[in-house]
Amino acid sequence: MKNKIVLLIACVAIAFACSKDDGISVDLQNEVNEFVWFGMRDFYYWVDEVDDLSNERYPTYNALYTFLNGYGDPKTLFDDLLVDQDRFSWIVDDYEELEASFQGISKSFGYEVGLLRISADSDDLLAYVKYVVPDGPAENGGLVRGDVFTEVNGTQLTVDNFVSLLFENESYTITLSQIQDNVISSTGERIALTAIQLTENPILKAEVLEVEGQKIAYLMYNQFVNNNDYHEELNNAFGEFKSAGATELVLDLRYNGGGSLTTSRILSSMIYGAASANDILGSIVYNQNLANAGLNADLTFLEEVPILNDDGNQISSLPMNRMNINRVFVLVSGSSASASEFVIAGLLPYMNVTLIGTTTVGKNVGSATLYDSDNYLKSSTLNPNHKYAIQPIISQLANSEGFTDYIDGLDPNIVVDERNYLGDLEPLGDTAEPLLAEALAIITGVARTERLPDNGMESIPYQIPGKEYLNTILLEGELVPDVLRNLSGIE
């Protein structure tokens, strides 16, 4: 596929490229702005809806540079070039940090936090621990899933201060609380935490449960990381599921905000073992300019685990361990997004998919990391003067039946909200854990003994500043068109 893209785009570039006119009289004040503008014009999925990205509005470099010089900050320019419905594009000033984050490496306290408004008429928040990363600061400090707190550094968490208290400090102290008879009170116990550079394995749990005489595979997968070692570990987990005789699968994606499209294809192929390399998992649709160049593509299931080079292109493969099942139970929440949703939508035409939890985010689009080089890749022409990169939405995704209409999220077949179980939140993978217990009840035919009513506390969605990658579906390698920066139309 890559060779085809290079050939098509090269033909376009040769036919239309031009050098900058010697008569330019306006000095460009920030070269990053030029990269941002061209990258968005050439790749952005909604480019036709942004007047400021049209050659007709800026037909000369003097006109374009005059426009770009109106922005002192490239981020402000980038934000102004987005359409209103775009919730997922972003820009960074350090692509090395971004690349590390896509590999599960970031400065972190080692736990995932949920935030709830204590009451409808209050801005005060209750924080609860969704899970802790093994050997991270939170686990080493004694935090466990289900712990709750309302104070950080002695200050009550609110809708106005939680970002600064939780996400803009490298160290802080939390004061634990408890919930008894729906009443929140402080325990007085304090835990001091300091963030460290932490690598989080996307596989938090992989085990075979024996319940009512049935062997049920349980996989908690928290990020789609495009990494050969993690792909091999995932393959080994499915090998263990098979060797243990598991006949059912519960896939826990409740905290998985997305990641690599390549990894989502690998996981989907392991789940639906009957698929061949000719069966279509989904498709990618680019903007009209790239589509006219013949770049839209179908994504098939895989029969082997690809081994990739640093550019994301396949160099060899491993035999893939695949389950022989006709249904899957997927645990989801308002934190499940993008690549997680792509897996769910991709499997729907082929097998019975039961969603348990709450409505997902609703991200049916894909992004790519664009660098300041002649072809927007991290190539030999990469600009050494800065480390800016942009992560714009460049495509829409659909399954094999053309289903792409889940912008408002995928609704669960069975609604279970773990926030209603605070105060007694079971460990992940425990057969009594509310979402998993619901799946096990369907599989075994043994009804659950307890379902708790809504506690009335509103969930507060948030995006961690600088960690937008947690809600993305990442196109890499051959899925990113190798486009030479097109200078046509500007004189």
Side-chain angles (χ1 to χ4, degrees):
M1 177 178 171
K2 192 70 166 183
N3 291 337
K4 174 184 175 184
I5 293 173
V6 173
L7 176 62
L8 287 169
I9 298 301
C11 291
V12 172
I14 291 171
F16 295 106
C18 61
S19 60
K20 295 182 180 180
D21 190 279
D22 291 336
I24 296 176
S25 58
V26 177
D27 292 329
L28 181 65
Q29 295 174 5
N30 190 330
E31 62 182 338
V32 178
N33 286 348
E34 182 177 24
F35 151 61
V36 169
W37 190 87
F38 274 101
M40 292 292 285
R41 191 202 63 174
D42 289 344
F43 274 91
Y44 193 44
Y45 182 71
W46 294 286
V47 62
D48 293 338
E49 300 178 30
V50 183
D51 290 340
D52 279 333
L53 289 175
S54 70
N55 288 345
E56 289 74 17
R57 173 159 291 193
Y58 306 111
T60 66
Y61 277 98
N62 284 330
L64 177 60
Y65 286 178
T66 298
F67 166 69
L68 296 180
N69 286 345
Y71 291 90
D73 181 6
K75 184 181 186 303
T76 305
L77 168 65
F78 181 83
D79 289 344
D80 281 355
L81 296 176
L82 303 179
V83 297
D84 290 341
Q85 69 263 36
D86 185 356
R87 298 176 287 161
F88 302 112
S89 296
W90 77 92
I91 182 173
V92 298
D93 59 10
D94 187 346
Y95 53 70
E96 291 179 348
E97 184 176 330
L98 177 67
E99 292 163 353
S101 70
F102 286 139
Q103 294 298 310
I105 304 169
S106 64
K107 200 158 192 179
S108 169
F109 294 97
Y111 74 103
E112 181 80 6
V113 65
L115 297 168
L116 301 172
R117 191 188 295 267
I118 290 176
S119 65
D121 58 355
S122 172
D123 286 340
D124 290 347
L125 299 181
L126 171 75
Y128 73 96
V129 177
K130 295 180 176 181
Y131 72 91
V132 296
V133 179
D135 296 322
E139 183 181 70
N140 294 336
L143 273 183
V144 297
R145 169 174 163 80
D147 279 343
V148 297
F149 59 94
T150 60
E151 292 184 2
V152 175
N153 292 336
T155 300
Q156 169 68 49
L157 285 169
T158 70
V159 293
D160 296 318
N161 69 15
F162 76 87
V163 171
S164 61
L165 288 176
L166 290 174
F167 305 125
E168 293 180 354
N169 292 311
E170 293 193 358
S171 63
Y172 54 67
T173 298
I174 63 175
T175 303
L176 294 182
S177 299
Q178 61 185 354
I179 303 175
Q180 292 182 331
D181 299 325
N182 292 324
V183 176
I184 303 169
S185 61
S186 174
T187 68
E189 180 182 356
R190 291 176 171 81
I191 296 179
L193 299 173
T194 299
I196 64 171
Q197 196 76 2
L198 190 64
T199 300
E200 180 177 348
N201 190 322
I203 302 175
L204 188 65
K205 294 277 186 178
E207 54 194 6
V208 175
L209 308 173
E210 293 198 31
V211 184
E212 297 293 327
Q214 298 195 52
K215 294 184 176 180
I216 303 161
Y218 172 74
L219 173 66
M220 176 141 211
Y221 198 65
N222 284 343
Q223 186 182 351
F224 290 86
V225 178
N226 191 356
N227 177 290
N228 289 329
D229 291 337
Y230 288 150
H231 290 166
E232 184 173 358
E233 188 173 343
L234 185 62
N235 195 41
N236 291 339
F238 273 81
E240 292 172 5
F241 295 161
K242 292 178 63 179
S243 63
T247 56
E248 302 276 3
L249 173 64
V250 179
L251 175 63
D252 198 336
L253 299 177
R254 75 181 83 180
Y255 306 136
N256 191 321
S260 166
L261 186 59
T262 298
T263 306
S264 68
R265 293 174 70 192
I266 293 171
L267 178 59
S268 300
S269 302
M270 292 175 178
I271 295 170
Y272 182 56
S276 74
N278 294 321
D279 291 321
I280 295 172
L281 175 64
S283 60
I284 302 176
V285 178
Y286 298 101
N287 68 36
Q288 195 60 55
N289 293 331
L290 298 178
N292 289 342
L295 301 183
N296 290 345
D298 289 331
L299 302 175
T300 62
F301 286 88
L302 304 171
E303 295 180 339
E304 296 183 322
V305 181
I307 296 176
L308 310 171
N309 63 17
D310 291 341
D311 294 324
N313 297 312
Q314 184 172 341
I315 53 176
S316 61
S317 63
L318 294 172
M320 180 181 287
N321 293 313
R322 310 176 73 183
M323 294 192 74
N324 183 23
I325 55 177
N326 56 22
R327 66 176 181 176
V328 61
F329 298 86
V330 186
L331 311 184
V332 295
S333 75
S335 298
S336 309
S338 56
S340 291
E341 294 167 309
F342 180 76
V343 168
I344 294 166
L347 292 175
L348 280 172
Y350 297 98
M351 59 195 311
N352 188 326
V353 181
T354 299
L355 302 185
I356 299 171
T358 55
T359 302
T360 65
V361 170
K363 185 177 181 185
N364 60 349
V365 288
S367 67
T369 308
L370 305 183
Y371 300 88
D372 189 3
S373 68
D374 288 349
N375 61 354
Y376 302 106
L377 303 177
K378 199 175 181 184
S379 61
S380 60
T381 61
L382 184 66
N383 188 337
N385 297 331
H386 66 84
K387 291 185 178 180
Y388 273 89
I390 59 175
Q391 193 79 29
I393 296 301
I394 70 169
S395 67
Q396 188 173 65
L397 302 167
N399 71 6
S400 62
E401 295 179 341
F403 172 58
T404 189
D405 187 19
Y406 51 91
I407 191 171
D408 294 322
L410 296 166
D411 292 325
N413 302 96
I414 301 169
V415 177
V416 183
D417 194 332
E418 71 177 16
R419 66 185 172 86
N420 296 325
Y421 296 81
L422 295 182
D424 189 24
L425 200 56
E426 299 290 345
L428 294 165
D430 190 297
T431 57
E433 190 280 315
L435 276 71
L436 176 57
E438 198 72 48
L440 298 178
I442 298 172
I443 292 171
T444 63
V446 178
R448 283 191 63 198
T449 58
E450 180 185 35
R451 286 192 181 93
L452 297 184
D454 194 312
N455 63 18
M457 287 194 286
E458 174 195 358
S459 293
I460 304 298
Y462 63 88
Q463 177 67 66
I464 302 175
K467 293 191 176 182
E468 293 84 356
Y469 64 87
L470 292 173
N471 255 3
T472 192
I473 184 162
L474 179 65
L475 278 62
E476 304 159 296
E478 65 176 15
L479 299 180
V480 181
D482 193 348
V483 177
L484 292 177
R485 189 174 298 187
N486 188 355
L487 305 179
S488 64
I490 302 179
E491 300 175 354

